[in-house]
Amino acid sequence: MGIVGVLALALGGLLWRNWNTAAPAPQTTTTLLAVVTTTNSTSTTATTVPSPTTTTEAQRVAEVEMILTDLWLGWFDALFRDDVDALWLVVATTSKQEAGVSAMETVPFVRPPALDELMVEVRDVLLDRPDCLVVQARIEAPFVGEGTGTEGVYVLWPDSRYGWRMATTWVYANDLWLSDCDEMVREETP
């Protein structure tokens, strides 16, 4: 057998190995829950260690979609009611709050905001860290008129009082949003 035969056998073996290899398992994230300690009336302490939970990528996207839905419903509700203080429940920066106050005068509501009319579609989770969540999503809100859908990249920061809040918005996934997570000074807000 010549060099060509050896190369053909080697290539055939590689192709067989790659073809015969099972597809990789779907990506999962494992979250460990805290230890729960309970005490009964006779001062006996029992400790229970919950089993770890596993979140698939699809489950995490659904969670992120719920987070964005809650934030956008809060945003539209504050605008509809002209409630400047309620904006702070959903925004994390003064510039976002000021944009909301300006929008109170210009957003043409057809009817009050309703959860069943608000559509949030997560296109991509660009960054998912405990200190910063960046999501590309499409938002449809028919209660502010037909054809008012928008797509953007939303940078969210966590807040110990309110949960996730909107910090900044970008137009494209390849914009410079990473500096909002890593370098932007997080101001003290109400």
Side-chain angles (χ1 to χ4, degrees):
M1 179 182 301
I3 188 80
V4 174
V6 171
L7 287 174
L9 275 174
L11 182 58
L14 284 173
L15 288 173
W16 171 256
R17 193 184 87 219
N18 287 340
W19 176 78
N20 201 24
T21 305
Q27 181 181 1
T28 60
T29 305
T30 301
T31 306
L32 295 177
L33 300 175
V35 174
V36 178
T37 304
T38 57
T39 305
N40 64 22
S41 61
T42 60
S43 297
T44 305
T45 302
T47 302
T48 307
V49 180
S51 60
T53 59
T54 302
T55 304
T56 65
E57 188 175 333
Q59 289 170 326
R60 181 59 179 151
V61 168
E63 288 174 352
V64 169
E65 209 163 81
M66 287 174 45
I67 291 167
L68 272 180
T69 300
D70 288 345
L71 288 173
W72 279 103
L73 186 62
W75 169 269
F76 286 120
D77 182 60
L79 267 56
F80 180 77
R81 294 182 299 111
D82 291 328
D83 191 339
V84 175
D85 294 328
L87 279 173
W88 285 117
L89 300 174
V90 296
V91 300
T93 60
T94 302
S95 61
K96 269 302 222 197
Q97 203 264 355
E98 289 170 352
V101 171
S102 293
M104 286 177 185
E105 299 172 15
T106 60
V107 173
F109 284 94
V110 194
R111 57 190 164 274
L115 179 61
D116 62 337
E117 286 189 83
L118 182 62
M119 192 280 301
V120 175
E121 178 188 353
V122 171
R123 301 283 172 100
D124 197 6
V125 177
L126 302 170
L127 183 69
D128 191 353
R129 297 188 326 213
D131 69 323
C132 197
L133 180 60
V134 182
V135 183
Q136 181 178 20
R138 175 141 187 89
I139 313 298
E140 295 279 345
F143 43 80
V144 292
E146 295 301 319
T148 55
T150 185
E151 187 166 330
V153 174
Y154 306 102
V155 177
L156 310 179
W157 290 344
D159 184 288
S160 60
R161 301 164 295 172
Y162 308 119
W164 290 103
R165 296 193 299 165
M166 293 186 275
T168 59
T169 301
W170 294 85
V171 177
Y172 303 108
N174 61 351
D175 277 336
L176 303 173
W177 50 260
L178 186 58
S179 63
D180 295 349
C181 295
D182 294 339
E183 300 167 16
M184 193 169 173
V185 175
R186 299 184 187 203
E187 59 189 285
E188 286 294 320
T189 57

